[in-house]
């Protein structure tokens, strides 16, 4: 969960998010080095005679200016492609959950169970209890087991939505008439908050996503309780 005056991303709660954080730091360091070098050259051109004819017409400088950006792009592209492939892999999921976006709430179906599904609405501000977060709490959380591969099937009933949970490194568009697929693993227990990340209408900011990762035993107890109430 984000906190006041926070710098950077939320703490990673999945292997994919950990990879994204590492890639962010990697790219940021490259940007910092490029910016420092360009700033040094600008200052040197202003304060010294770096603009003489030998420097401006140097073949060596032309070669460096051509090869160096290509090397930088490769250093950024290779880890980026690796993460894209990791995010696209769905290997032997333990649980499949279908999330459907509506105006303006989410519904969840646990497809491995016959009758386990529910709607998830935002809790109004006047109904919040101490410790709950405004605009982020939902009346029904999506409960998942920790350290289990989860496959998400994401769609929408009416307009474009987007199912996004930053701590899990998850963001997938929900498109009417289309079923998008992604997967993740929650590496630790906790409650992770997200919101619809597509401008989907007047109440776009009032359809939060709450994912609760619990040990497998607790998940089994929760699913049994939900099935009894169905």
């Amino acid at each position: 969960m984000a906190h006041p005056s926070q710098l950077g991303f939320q703490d990673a709660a999945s292997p994919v998010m950990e990879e994204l954080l590492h890639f962010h730091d990697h790219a940021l360091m490259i940007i910092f080095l490029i910016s420092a070098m360009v700033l040094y050259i600008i200052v040197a051109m202003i304060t010294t005679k770096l603009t003489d004819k030998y420097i401006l017409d140097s073949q060596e400088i032309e070669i460096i200016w051509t090869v160096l950006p290509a090397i930088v792009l490769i250093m950024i592209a290779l880890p980026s492609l690796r993460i894209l492939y990791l995010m696209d892999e769905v290997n032997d999921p333990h649980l499949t959950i279908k999330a459907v976006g509506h105006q303006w709430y989410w519904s969840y179906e646990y497809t491995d169970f016959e009758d386990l599904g529910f709607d998830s609405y935002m809790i109004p501000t006047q109904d919040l209890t101490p410790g709950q977060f405004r605009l982020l709490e939902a009346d029904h959380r999506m409960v998942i087991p920790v350290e289990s591969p989860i496959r998400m099937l994401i769609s929408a009933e009416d307009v474009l939505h987007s199912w996004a949970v930053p701590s899990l490194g998850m963001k997938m568009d929900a498109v009417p008439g289309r079923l998008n697929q992604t997967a993740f693993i929650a590496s630790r227990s906790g409650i992770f908050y997200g919101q619809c990340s597509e401008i989907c209408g007047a109440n776009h900011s009032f359809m939060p996503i709450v994912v609760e990762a619990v040990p497998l035993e607790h998940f089994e107890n929760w699913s049994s309780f939900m099935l009894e109430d169905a």
Side-chain angles (χ1 to χ4, degrees), residues 97-110 117-124 135-143 152 161 163 165 191-196 203-212 222 226:
I97 303 174
K98 182 180 179 182
V100 181
H102 308 268
Q103 289 183 310
W104 286 272
Y105 65 95
W106 294 95
S107 62
Y108 298 100
E109 301 173 16
Y110 289 68
F118 51 85
D119 297 329
S120 180
Y121 292 87
M122 186 193 76
I123 299 178
L135 301 183
L136 288 177
E137 295 290 350
D139 57 355
H140 290 93
R141 296 170 174 171
M142 191 186 91
V143 180
M152 292 297 303
H161 298 281
W163 199 85
V165 183
I191 300 173
F192 311 110
Y193 296 91
Q195 291 177 300
C196 175
N203 292 330
H204 156 68
S205 57
F206 303 112
M207 50 183 304
I209 301 162
V210 186
V211 178
E212 184 175 358
W222 172 84
M226 294 293 290

Side-chain angles (χ1 to χ4, degrees), residues 3-100:
H3 57 78
S5 303
Q6 175 178 339
L7 295 177
F9 295 96
Q10 299 180 24
D11 292 338
S14 72
V16 167
M17 190 58 193
E18 292 175 4
E19 294 288 341
L20 289 172
L21 290 177
H22 293 156
F23 175 71
H24 168 266
D25 296 340
H26 169 74
L28 195 63
M29 183 55 65
I30 292 176
I31 293 171
F32 173 77
L33 293 175
I34 293 173
S35 301
M37 184 178 66
V38 172
L39 180 62
Y40 168 77
I41 293 174
I42 292 174
V43 172
M45 292 178 67
I46 294 173
T47 59
T48 67
K49 295 180 179 180
L50 194 61
T51 58
D52 60 32
K53 183 178 179 181
Y54 175 76
I55 294 294
L56 293 179
D57 294 339
S58 171
Q59 185 67 33
E60 289 77 9
I61 292 295
E62 294 292 338
I63 294 174
I64 293 173
W65 258 195
T66 303
V67 173
L68 195 59
I71 295 174
V72 170
L73 289 175
I74 292 172
M75 292 175 63
I76 294 175
L78 291 180
S80 175
L81 291 172
R82 174 177 172 271
I83 295 175
L84 283 174
Y85 279 109
L86 284 175
M87 295 174 70
D88 217 24
E89 287 185 355
V90 182
N91 294 325
D92 190 24
H94 295 175
L95 185 66
T96 299
I97 303 174
K98 182 180 179 182
V100 181

